[in-house]
Amino acid sequence: MINTQLYGLIGKPVEHSLSPAIHNALFKKHKINAVYLPFEVDDLESAVKGARALGIQGLNVTMPYKERILEFLDGISDDAKVIGSVNTIVNREGKFVGYNTDGIGALKALKRFVEIKNKRILVLGAGGAGRAIAYTLSKLTEVVVLNRTERKAKELEKFGVKGEKLSKGRLEYYSSWADIVINATPIGMNEDRSPVPGELLKKNQVAFDIVYSPLETRLLMEAREAGCLTIDGLWMLVYQGAESFRLWTGIKPDVEFMRNVALEVLKNVQ
């Protein structure tokens, strides 16, 4: 395979990721001579140097490196700079340029199912994904972020959101206040836990969990039972992945195709 372009995912852990299956299927579909590989990284600086040396054309970045990766890049998009988090790197003639597609992915996933304008949104978590989601949605409507570390929640107030320390009382209050509840934490990933007690969810709310393994987390199961509209994390994954693919190739891919690839992988691992 001459001149095969190399793309990949860096983070720790990465073995659970659906991104390799999705992007390799897209390369095949669009007849692009490229391969996407997962790289579990312990030393981020060395990994980036290695990626440069190998001429890797694009990378996705996942936990725990979305914020730290900024110091090793040659350029950062305006949105990624404001958010302080990068999940996509494009090799532009030897220069590694960082972007953030998490916010766009969450926005498009939500818009697929619900009108966002004038909706009150509660975001749980102020990590890389939570920051991107809060920043993107704050341009359209009222957003409150609750986070275990108050400082990280308060930092997001520069976006025009309200940031508060997560407490039982605030969770109860803002769960009742919100039209849309978004879990932007890892709680529920391959475990039977939810960041929001089921009794706090109410009929006609929207519950959106960015966790996609399992596809129906405990939060989404209890939300469905409460009469909420539920949106699983796979929608965000495919929409943010579609934006990454567009940045790398200039092609706007079919998200339905991407989701079906991911569902096949999930079906085979369960």
Side-chain angles (χ1 to χ4, degrees):
M1 295 179 72
I2 301 169
N3 296 326
T4 301
Q5 293 184 323
L6 185 57
Y7 295 82
L9 169 70
I10 56 174
K12 187 174 183 179
V14 294
E15 71 271 5
H16 67 284
S17 177
L18 298 174
S19 293
I22 293 170
H23 286 292
N24 285 320
L26 285 173
F27 289 141
K28 185 176 180 181
K29 177 182 170 71
H30 292 283
K31 296 181 171 56
I32 297 170
N33 185 6
V35 65
Y36 182 109
L37 299 170
F39 300 105
E40 183 151 312
V41 169
D42 288 307
D43 183 338
L44 182 60
E45 184 175 9
S46 296
V48 175
K49 284 180 181 175
R52 291 179 188 276
L54 290 168
I56 288 178
Q57 292 301 298
L59 289 167
N60 284 132
V61 184
T62 189
M63 296 184 295
Y65 300 128
K66 289 184 180 184
E67 294 165 52
R68 194 170 154 234
I69 191 71
L70 274 71
E71 64 184 280
F72 304 115
L73 301 177
D74 302 303
I76 306 163
S77 73
D78 290 342
D79 282 351
K81 195 175 293 182
V82 173
I83 295 164
S85 171
V86 159
N87 77 324
T88 302
I89 298 170
V90 183
N91 184 339
R92 300 203 183 279
E93 299 178 345
K95 303 290 186 183
F96 274 23
V97 182
Y99 297 83
N100 192 301
T101 70
D102 280 332
I104 296 167
L107 175 62
K108 289 187 174 181
L110 279 168
K111 278 189 165 181
R112 186 182 185 96
F113 297 97
V114 66
E115 172 58 54
I116 297 170
K117 196 174 179 183
N118 298 323
K119 294 290 196 300
R120 297 184 295 195
I121 299 178
L122 170 62
V123 177
L124 300 172
R131 292 173 68 89
I133 292 168
Y135 168 74
T136 304
L137 297 182
S138 69
K139 297 177 181 180
L140 301 170
T141 192
E142 190 175 358
V143 178
V144 170
V145 178
L146 296 182
N147 190 67
R148 286 182 302 178
T149 307
E150 184 176 22
R151 176 185 55 80
K152 291 191 78 172
K154 292 292 185 187
E155 280 176 6
L156 304 194
E157 293 191 340
K158 65 185 178 184
F159 303 154
V161 311
K162 185 173 185 180
E164 299 271 7
K165 180 176 174 61
L166 177 63
S167 67
K168 184 180 177 183
R170 289 194 184 100
L171 183 59
E172 288 176 355
Y173 176 80
Y174 285 112
S175 294
S176 177
W177 166 87
D179 300 302
I180 301 171
V181 177
I182 302 175
N183 175 34
T185 78
I187 294 172
M189 185 185 293
N190 298 316
E191 62 175 1
D192 187 29
R193 285 201 303 150
S194 171
V196 184
E199 62 270 16
L200 298 185
L201 300 164
K202 59 183 189 285
K203 191 175 181 181
N204 298 325
Q205 273 183 319
V206 177
F208 176 25
D209 199 334
I210 74 166
V211 172
Y212 60 81
S213 181
L215 198 58
E216 185 175 68
T217 59
R218 182 167 179 176
L219 169 62
L220 295 187
M221 181 186 68
E222 292 182 346
R224 177 172 51 79
E225 290 171 352
C228 299
L229 169 65
T230 63
I231 305 171
D232 64 64
L234 195 54
W235 285 114
M236 175 170 161
L237 179 75
V238 296
Y239 274 114
Q240 65 84 16
E243 182 64 13
S244 294
F245 192 80
R246 186 192 66 78
L247 286 167
W248 293 329
T249 67
I251 296 168
K252 188 176 178 180
D254 180 352
V255 292
E256 296 282 357
F257 171 81
M258 296 170 70
R259 184 174 172 88
N260 286 335
V261 169
L263 287 172
E264 276 299 309
V265 176
L266 288 174
K267 187 168 73 176
N268 292 330
V269 299
Q270 287 172 353

